[in-house]
Structure formats: structure tokens, C-alpha cells
Amino acid sequence: MTELQHRPTALLVMEERRRDDVYPEAVLKEIGTLVDLREPLTRERLAEDPAALEGVEILLSGWGAPVLDSVLLGHATDLRAVLVAAGSVRPLTTPEFWARELPIVSAAAANAVPVAEFTLAQVLLGLKQVHRISREIRERKAYPPDPRVAGAYRSRVGLLGLGEIGALVASHLRGFDVEVLASDPVVDSARAAELGVRLVGLDELFATCPVVSLHAPLLPETEGLVNGGLVARMGIGATLINTARGAVVDEPSVIPVLGERPDLTAILDVTWPEPPAPDSPLYTLPNVVLTPHLAGALGAERARMGELVAGELRRFVLGQPLQHAVAPDRAHLRA
């Protein structure tokens, strides 16, 4: 490694519960070769003592990041960069932060990996209608004589959203003999072509794809976007997958459709509220599969985000271009 002329002072602020997963010993050791790392804090401890940011040049974080408002920034006069081992930087950024024009790094690319893997698995299961057929076997106590399923041969797969995760799912699907359709208002046809995807409207996406997977960020314009009318247009035996945000789905209008259409399957890794209320039909509908954020980084998978941050930290202190900096005009599009 090039000898550093100056070792910046860094502080790690995030929740304790997942800190060791995100920043395991090997990652902290690498970080320690690059900066003078202070004792880590939680955002609650930092709120009690915001002066802890004085002299800090690099803020490291993850889940449970502090909100960088005028109070904290007033103490962080030496701050030069923020590196976040999490997908979205929306929870910690404020207008005051963006006004400072500081670089901020997101580990969305690392977090996208397990979500895309989970999605790919569910897409392939959905094309075979595994969940539906297994339900029918239990109910009838008999095997169907000749199941009619789409399969992964020249079938369509629909993606709602082509952000970090949606694009990675599209990339994975290029290894299969399927046609990938997508709906995303901020992606142009040239970018879609790079991903091997054809852009279509929402109606066509839901009406013609045996599997539709949601990857849209939660924005005012996407809240409740997937409603009962769209889900009702899905073909016999279709599968809906949501690993994005629960509120993208208008559950009050979708739940009755799922009740009336036992042939459909909904794989919901996220809901709104989360978890569902105790009396929610989502718990009892046989064609709903609930999972508690299993798609996201869990356990050892979380270290991938810390490793990304360590790599970006190395580039920053050596004066090299950052690879995962978030542009201010794109930050709101991250889930």
C-alpha cells in the first residue's frame, strides 16, 4: 500500500446489534490501517454528546446511522466524507448535509447481491409454480397428472424497477432462456437494452408476465402503486414477489384479489405495516408466503457491505475516485 501522508480520524456510528456483522474484525483491521479509528458510538450516544464529532474527518456508519442535521454538522467542521454500509442514504441525509457538498458512499451494490439472489430463486420457483402446486397437493392429497406451468423457457419475467437490485436481477436472468420486461419511468430504452430488458407499461407487465418482481423505491409516486386492479390482471398461476418496500403494494385492495384468486401466489418479504397486524389476512391466506426480510443481507452476508466501505475508504484516503458515491440528484431514488 502507498504510504499515507496523513491518517484521517474516523468515527463509526451505528447500532450495536448488527455492528459486528457489518464490520467484522477483519474489516476493522483493514480500516485501522487507513485511519485513526475512534471508539464506536451509537446514534443515541452521539445525540447525547455531539461534540464527539469534533475532529472527525470520516464518518463510517450502517444501520442506525445518525441524522446529519445542523446540530451534528455544527460539530463536524472537519468532516470530509461519509461512508455508509447500508443501501439507502436517505435516512441520514438532510438539506444541510447536501449543502456541505461532501461525498457520501452507499453500499447498495453489496446489499443488492443477496436480494437479487433471493429474487432469482423465487422467480425460477414461480415460473414452475412450485408454491401453487405444492398447496394443491396438500389440499387434494394427490399429485396433478400433468402440471401446466410456464417454466424457464421463453417465458416472460416482469421487473418493476431497474435500480441497483432490479438491474442485478435482470443481469442474472440473462443466463436463462426468458424474456425480461420492465417498467421504470426513470430508465430509458438505451439503458434497458444494455440490461437485455424491454420496457413496457404497468398493465402489460402484470397482464403478460407469469412472474412479476417488485424493485421500486418507496416514493410518493410509488406508494400503493401495485393495487388490486393490477394484481387481478395477472394470469392463472402467476406469482408476485415483493422484496422492495411493503407500502409499494396497496394491501387493502390486493388482499381481496388474493382471496378470490387462490391460483395466484404472493411472496412478500416486506409488508406495510411490518410485521402485519395480528389480524391481517396475510397470515391466513394460503397463497401468501411471508418472510421477514430474508432477502436482505443477514449474518455473514452483511460483511460484504463493510468490505465495500473499506474499499471505498482506501480509495478516498489515497485520493482515488470513489466507485459508490451517491449523486445528490439520485439519492431520493434509492429505497
Side-chain angles (χ1 to χ4, degrees):
M1 182 187 121
T2 303
E3 185 68 26
L4 298 178
Q5 300 300 312
H6 168 68
R7 287 172 58 86
T9 298
L11 176 66
L12 171 58
V13 182
M14 68 171 291
E15 64 178 35
E16 285 187 65
R17 180 167 62 97
R18 291 181 278 194
R19 189 173 65 208
D20 290 344
D21 284 346
V22 177
Y23 292 97
E25 184 177 351
V27 172
L28 288 179
K29 184 176 179 180
E30 181 179 357
I31 289 173
T33 67
L34 301 166
V35 297
D36 291 327
L37 187 61
R38 293 181 178 177
E39 285 296 313
L41 297 174
T42 62
R43 66 181 170 194
E44 292 78 16
R45 291 289 303 278
L46 183 61
E48 295 169 0
D49 182 22
L53 281 171
E54 293 174 5
V56 172
E57 296 167 79
I58 300 173
L59 177 65
L60 307 175
S61 193
W63 285 294
V67 178
L68 297 174
D69 55 17
S70 57
V71 174
L72 290 185
L73 290 170
H75 291 274
T77 55
D78 295 320
L79 191 62
R80 296 167 51 207
V82 178
L83 288 77
V84 186
S88 176
V89 299
R90 286 165 59 188
L92 71 156
T93 52
T94 62
E96 294 87 353
F97 170 81
W98 292 116
R100 289 274 295 268
E101 298 185 347
L102 298 170
I104 183 167
V105 162
S106 161
N111 190 53
V113 174
V115 181
E117 291 170 346
F118 178 95
T119 300
L120 176 62
Q122 294 298 339
V123 166
L124 295 175
L125 290 174
L127 289 174
K128 282 287 192 179
Q129 297 191 26
V130 168
H131 294 293
R132 178 185 69 82
I133 291 172
S134 65
R135 286 196 304 271
E136 293 180 357
I137 289 173
R138 286 196 304 271
E139 293 167 2
R140 300 174 182 176
K141 296 183 173 57
Y143 281 15
D146 184 20
R148 310 302 292 177
V149 300
Y153 179 65
R154 299 183 180 178
S155 297
R156 286 182 170 180
V157 176
L159 303 178
L160 176 54
L162 286 173
E164 200 94 46
I165 296 169
L168 187 54
V169 173
S171 176
H172 289 336
L173 287 170
R174 295 184 81 161
F176 298 87
D177 196 358
V178 296
E179 179 187 9
V180 182
L181 276 55
S183 183
D184 191 323
V186 302
V187 171
D188 59 26
S189 56
R191 172 58 176 158
E194 289 177 7
L195 295 169
V197 169
R198 181 164 67 87
L199 294 174
V200 298
L202 281 178
D203 284 349
E204 182 176 353
L205 193 78
F206 279 80
T208 68
C209 295
V211 177
V212 175
S213 186
L214 310 184
H215 302 287
L218 180 58
L219 305 170
E221 54 268 37
T222 63
E223 184 173 354
L225 179 63
V226 178
N227 56 36
L230 284 175
V231 175
R233 291 186 180 92
M234 299 182 81
I236 299 297
T239 297
L240 175 69
I241 304 166
N242 190 10
T243 58
R245 290 289 184 265
V248 171
V249 174
D250 178 28
E251 290 178 6
S253 68
V254 169
I255 286 173
V257 175
L258 294 175
E260 296 162 3
R261 292 278 308 276
D263 62 288
L264 298 177
T265 299
I267 311 293
L268 304 180
D269 195 49
V270 289
T271 61
W272 185 255
E274 194 168 280
D279 60 350
S280 172
L282 294 177
Y283 288 118
T284 54
L285 281 170
N287 55 343
V288 172
V289 178
L290 294 175
T291 54
H293 276 292
L294 289 184
L298 296 176
E301 292 175 323
R302 294 169 178 161
R304 189 184 275 119
M305 292 185 286
E307 290 167 359
L308 182 148
V309 162
E312 288 286 79
L313 178 62
R314 180 178 297 277
R315 281 182 277 274
F316 182 78
V317 300
L318 293 178
Q320 299 171 354
L322 296 170
Q323 296 179 356
H324 300 279
V326 179
D329 62 344
R330 301 287 297 177
H332 72 289
L333 297 175
R334 293 185 180 271

